[in-house]
């Protein structure tokens, strides 16, 4: 997926390669010239229709009777037009999860997710996020430099998810490797196999030792998910809570550190974090193009024919920046489509926003005098048709001491709120020792030498190096 798209085929705009990643907004502007939908290529040989208009996106997202989420309708995949080794297939082929189903099946699977999320207390989640943030900041604060992607935004959601899902030591590094590979399209099938195998191991562990965590709660839910449904439901939850979450945190930090509109608030001590998150969710949503639907029958939308079974990819980023919306105040306006819309609206947007807010606030509270070490226009973006993801976010700042607060983010979860799991419900009668802990590393020990890539830094952190 990192290769440049081949020349030719001007009728289908490629959404892969470094050129698209560097300036997707320019591509969206060009595509809008042909109307609210445009022909694109997600990967070599994988053609789709990209929905770029806000009203058109809402029409697709809110019309399940016309547009299905089930990839088994995908005609080009069924007839072999799409190559079997295409890097986008792990993100697009059918799995028995709420993401790829309709109607009653979708309702049953989504119900298990929403009921499980409802058992997580906001105060407990905030505590996990705050302690995880302190843990990470303590590692790089004395050094005066950091990559806020690989050393912070990538790792913080994983620490929180280790708490929420009861992941044992060693699982986190495999989960992030699988997720990163799928979104980037690098050995995507291998990455998905690693992810599902890791989740199957987690399910087997929780079958032997259930605890007050989301994995156990899903397994207990009246929806009676099969093992296969459990694996893919966990994959959806972790996929939504790691890759997009890290992008939301990193993109918000990039905005706060580079946009003069926020400089006064930062120096004055009033952190406009909510304003920054609103801006990012409108202009640089962490998942830029996804919400794939398939017309159930041939249709026409504003003069554009839509073939039955041809993927309709909703560009959440392009729809949010539709010129037809010019003049709408973005600050405080939550009408963006970053969380999608309709029956497949993200059920975890509240927790996701809370984690991102805590991550940004904690960092800027601990290290207020922080600055990018390269001009913002020189920051690199990871190629891929689906996400809006930085490759790194290098910063410098006056070195600060590690606070070493008791219980403030120890990866083993000791200290802090004193709770044994994500919420008070569901844990009755279960000893706290049954809650699996993240890797037992010393968060206050300085990192000896930073690996060069963001992924390598994340993996090294999880190994305690």
């Amino acid at each position: 997926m990192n290769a440049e798209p081949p020349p030719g085929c001007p009728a289908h705009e490629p959404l892969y390669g470094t050129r698209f990643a560097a300036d997707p907004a320019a591509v969206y502007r060009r595509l809008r010239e042909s109307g609210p939908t445009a022909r694109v290529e997600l990967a070599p040989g994988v053609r789709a229709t990209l929905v770029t208009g806000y009203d058109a996106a809402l029409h697709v997202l809110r019309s399940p009777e016309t547009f299905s989420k089930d990839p088994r309708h995908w005609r080009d995949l069924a007839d072999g037009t799409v190559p079997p080794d295409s890097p986008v297939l792990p993100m697009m082929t059918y799995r028995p999860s709420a993401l790829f189903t309709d109607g009653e099946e979708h309702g049953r699977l989504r119900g298990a997710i929403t009921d499980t999320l409802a058992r997580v207390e906001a105060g407990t989640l905030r505590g996990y996020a705050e302690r995880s943030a302190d843990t990470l900041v303590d590692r790089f604060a004395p050094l005066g430099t950091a990559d806020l992607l690989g050393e912070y935004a990538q790792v913080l959601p994983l620490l929180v998810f280790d708490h929420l899902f009861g992941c044992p030591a060693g699982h986190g590094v495999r989960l992030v490797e699988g997720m990163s590979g799928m979104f980037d399209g690098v050995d995507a099938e291998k990455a998905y196999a690693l992810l599902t195998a890791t989740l199957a191991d987690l399910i087997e562990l929780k079958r032997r030792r259930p605890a007050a965590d989301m994995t156990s709660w899903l397994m207990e839910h009246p929806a009676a998910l099969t093992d296969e449904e459990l694996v893919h439901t966990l994959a959806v939850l972790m996929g939504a809570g790691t890759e997009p979450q890290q992008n939301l945190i990193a993109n918000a930090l990039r905005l706060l550190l580079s946009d003069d509109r926020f400089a006064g608030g930062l120096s004055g001590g009033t952190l406009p974090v909510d304003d920054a998150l609103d801006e990012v969710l409108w202009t640089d949503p962490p998942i830029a193009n996804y919400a794939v639907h398939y017309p159930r029958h041939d249709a026409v939308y504003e003069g554009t024919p839509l073939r039955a079974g041809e993927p309709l990819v909703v560009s959440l980023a392009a729809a949010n920046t539709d010129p037809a919306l010019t003049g709408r105040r973005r600050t405080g306006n939550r009408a963006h489509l970053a969380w999608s819309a309709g029956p497949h609206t993200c059920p975890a947007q509240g927790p996701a926003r809370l984690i991102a807010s805590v991550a940004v606030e904690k960092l800027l509270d601990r290290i207020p005098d922080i600055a990018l070490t390269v001009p913002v226009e020189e920051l690199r973006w990871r190629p891929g048709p689906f996400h809006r993801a930085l490759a790194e976010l290098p910063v410098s700042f006056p070195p600060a001491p590690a606070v070493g607060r008791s219980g403030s983010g120890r990866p083993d979860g000791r200290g802090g709120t004193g709770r044994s799991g994500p919420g008070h419900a569901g844990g009755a009668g279960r000893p706290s020792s049954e809650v699996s802990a993240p890797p037992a590393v010393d968060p206050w020990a300085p990192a000896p030498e930073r690996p060069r890539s963001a992924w390598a830094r994340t993996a090294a952190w999880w190994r305690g190096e």
Side-chain angles (χ1 to χ4, degrees):
M1 191 73 85
N2 292 329
E4 293 297 337
C9 196
H12 288 78
E13 180 77 33
L15 299 189
Y16 54 96
T18 55
R19 285 194 296 271
F20 172 72
D23 193 3
V27 175
Y28 302 146
R29 287 194 296 270
R30 185 164 60 251
L31 293 177
R32 285 196 199 96
E33 295 175 1
S34 62
T37 62
R39 304 295 184 184
V40 296
E41 194 173 47
L42 302 176
V46 183
R47 296 181 176 182
T49 296
L50 190 71
V51 181
T52 59
Y54 184 87
D55 289 340
L58 282 179
H59 176 66
V60 172
L61 296 171
R62 293 176 173 174
S63 304
E65 70 283 353
T66 304
F67 303 104
S68 171
K69 284 283 291 177
D70 191 335
R72 289 173 293 188
H73 292 284
W74 189 1
R75 186 159 60 184
D76 283 355
L77 181 63
D79 68 14
T81 300
V82 173
D85 60 349
S86 174
V88 299
L89 289 187
M91 291 287 291
M92 294 181 65
T93 50
Y94 172 78
R95 319 284 184 185
S97 74
L99 186 61
F100 299 118
T101 50
D102 302 308
E104 292 183 4
E105 184 182 11
H106 170 254
R108 179 178 69 87
L109 296 169
R110 183 182 173 93
I113 291 173
T114 55
D115 291 347
T116 298
L117 287 169
R119 297 176 72 165
V120 179
E121 290 184 335
T124 305
L125 181 61
R126 176 177 289 276
Y128 288 159
E130 288 177 345
R131 296 195 301 275
S132 298
D134 276 328
T135 296
L136 298 174
V137 174
D138 276 342
R139 285 183 63 83
F140 57 72
L143 304 179
T145 63
D147 171 16
L148 293 183
L149 180 74
E151 295 176 81
Y152 191 68
Q154 270 188 340
V155 188
L156 190 149
L158 288 166
L159 288 181
V160 174
F161 266 60
D162 258 17
H163 282 294
L164 292 177
F165 288 90
C167 291
H171 277 54
V173 67
R174 288 189 282 162
L175 290 173
V176 72
E177 183 179 359
M179 287 297 175
S180 298
M182 285 174 57
F183 276 94
D184 286 345
V186 178
D187 293 328
E189 194 60 42
K190 180 180 178 181
Y192 193 81
L194 174 64
L195 174 68
T196 54
T198 303
L199 292 175
D201 288 346
L202 177 61
I203 291 168
E204 182 58 31
L205 171 67
K206 294 302 171 181
R207 183 170 284 112
R208 297 194 307 269
R209 298 176 60 197
D213 56 52
M214 290 181 64
T215 306
S216 300
W217 295 343
L218 277 170
M219 296 172 68
E220 298 167 356
H221 193 272
L225 303 184
T226 66
D227 283 0
E228 185 181 20
E229 289 170 341
L230 279 168
V231 165
H232 296 297
T233 296
L234 287 169
V236 168
L237 281 167
M238 291 192 172
T242 51
E243 174 74 24
Q245 189 74 61
Q246 76 180 40
N247 296 342
L248 179 57
I249 294 169
N251 294 356
L253 287 169
R254 166 186 170 272
L255 179 66
L256 283 162
L257 297 175
S258 64
D259 194 314
D260 290 341
R261 291 175 299 160
F262 297 95
L266 292 174
S267 61
T270 302
L271 303 179
V273 171
D274 280 343
D275 291 355
L277 290 175
D278 286 338
E279 183 78 10
V280 165
L281 290 168
W282 274 102
T283 61
D284 270 322
I287 297 299
N289 308 298
Y290 200 42
V292 186
H293 288 70
Y294 303 85
R296 296 178 185 273
H297 49 74
D298 289 347
V300 176
Y301 182 82
E302 293 193 4
T304 300
L306 304 176
R307 290 177 55 214
E310 180 177 275
L312 274 174
V313 178
V314 177
S315 179
L316 309 171
N320 283 349
T321 54
D322 186 340
L325 301 180
T326 300
R328 293 195 187 183
R329 180 175 174 269
R330 289 199 180 105
T331 301
N333 184 341
R334 306 286 169 82
H336 58 74
L337 300 181
W339 310 115
S340 191
H344 286 269
T345 301
C346 175
Q349 54 190 280
R353 189 173 180 113
L354 187 153
I355 293 169
S357 295
V358 169
V360 175
E361 289 170 354
K362 265 289 185 180
L363 175 73
L364 297 179
D365 179 59
R366 291 281 306 275
I367 308 178
D369 299 321
I370 193 167
L372 294 174
T373 57
V374 299
V376 65
E377 61 273 9
E378 293 182 12
L379 291 173
R380 296 182 298 109
W381 299 87
R382 288 161 48 201
F386 304 121
H387 56 199
R388 180 64 169 158
L390 285 164
E392 58 189 357
L393 188 60
V395 295
S396 61
F397 45 86
V403 297
R405 295 187 182 117
S406 176
S408 62
R410 288 192 61 85
D412 58 11
R414 290 190 287 270
T417 65
R419 298 181 186 272
S420 63
H424 69 290
R430 288 176 184 151
S432 60
S433 61
E434 286 193 351
V435 179
S436 302
V441 302
D442 180 0
W444 298 285
E449 182 179 353
R450 292 183 174 122
R452 281 182 284 181
S453 73
W455 154 243
R457 281 191 297 273
T458 304
W461 194 97
W462 275 96
R463 290 192 294 265
E465 297 172 358

